[in-house]
Amino acid sequence: MAGKYYAVRAGKTPGIYTSWDACKAMVHGYPGAVYKSFKTRAEAEAFLGESSGGAKAYSEAAGEGKRTAAADLPAEKTAKAAGLPAVYAFVDGSYNAATGVYGYGGFLIHGGEKEILQGAGDEPEMASMRNVAGEVLGSMAAVERAVELGLPELTVYYDYMGIEMWANGSWKRNKAGTIAYHDYIASVRDQIKLSFVKVKGHSGVEGNEEADRLAKEAVGNL
């Protein structure tokens, strides 16, 4: 009897696995992966049942490596099953209190390609915003790159509400960084269709976890 069941809702091949190694192989490096561990198979199945994706799943039998379900889905269908658009970015920010450096990390997916986004700075006023400075700069970097590539649309996944609220003007801007961010987003609205989606940080969303790691790396927090 398995000690734990790992349910992969969005990954290379969604399903239920009975070892962490098997689960990790399905989610590691997969943008937007969603997975969770459970004590019982029933709980894992219930978690998978919440997904609206139509992908066939397979499960690995304890100790036997049996697999049911089948061929890998094409990239477009895989993204659709995971609830991801064709063009998207995950971004996050970080702050190194020891050095006063803020920065961002993330990645942009387009045309089947993945571009890493990273940057850092130490301008005093921006640094006063700590990790939030990195959050807004990361979102701006993703949008700037998408515009540079001539992409018609972009969905930005973030875990700090200001990313969307400052972009659309719902939150007051009283820092140079938030003012510049809002003004830039407003200036490109006629060039690219932008959507913003909030995800819960540190909740097993692989894209967010990767962006967090890249942001920490950018400011020397690893």
Side-chain angles (χ1 to χ4, degrees):
M1 182 175 182
K4 276 189 178 181
Y5 295 91
Y6 299 87
V8 177
R9 182 186 291 175
K12 296 173 184 175
T13 307
I16 298 174
Y17 300 83
T18 56
S19 73
W20 166 240
D21 286 343
C23 173
K24 184 178 180 181
M26 295 300 107
V27 301
H28 185 66
Y30 184 93
V34 179
Y35 55 98
K36 193 173 181 180
S37 65
F38 298 92
K39 292 182 179 180
T40 68
R41 178 175 286 273
E43 291 175 317
E45 290 174 347
F47 177 75
L48 288 184
E50 296 171 5
S51 173
S52 59
K56 293 181 180 179
Y58 72 75
S59 64
E60 181 183 65
E64 297 180 9
K66 293 182 179 178
R67 297 181 179 181
T68 59
D72 291 339
L73 295 169
E76 318 81 61
K77 292 185 178 180
T78 301
K80 185 176 180 181
L84 295 170
V87 179
Y88 64 94
F90 274 88
V91 297
D92 206 355
S94 189
Y95 178 72
N96 188 324
T99 62
V101 173
Y102 53 85
Y104 64 86
F107 56 88
L108 171 67
I109 299 292
H110 62 93
E113 297 184 6
K114 178 178 182 179
E115 293 191 31
I116 298 299
L117 305 169
Q118 279 183 306
D122 59 2
E123 192 277 321
E125 185 176 354
M126 289 292 288
S128 70
M129 297 168 61
R130 301 174 70 86
N131 65 296
V132 175
E135 303 272 359
V136 297
L137 290 178
S139 179
M140 190 182 298
V143 176
E144 285 178 339
R145 181 56 179 153
V147 170
E148 182 182 323
L149 291 167
L151 301 176
E153 59 185 13
L154 171 68
T155 299
V156 179
Y157 290 87
Y158 65 91
D159 64 10
Y160 178 70
M161 187 61 73
I163 293 300
E164 182 172 0
M165 297 297 101
W166 283 317
N168 63 27
S170 296
W171 281 10
K172 183 179 180 181
R173 285 85 61 199
N174 54 13
K175 294 278 189 179
T178 55
I179 293 171
Y181 173 57
H182 169 78
D183 290 349
Y184 172 72
I185 296 299
S187 75
V188 298
R189 289 284 190 183
D190 61 343
Q191 300 177 55
I192 187 170
K193 179 182 177 182
L194 296 173
S195 300
F196 295 90
V197 178
K198 188 179 188 307
V199 298
K200 186 178 180 181
H202 310 293
S203 62
V205 178
E206 179 60 27
N208 176 256
E209 298 292 344
E210 181 173 355
D212 177 65
R213 289 193 296 271
L214 289 168
K216 288 178 178 176
E217 180 180 87
V219 301
N221 269 342
L222 288 181

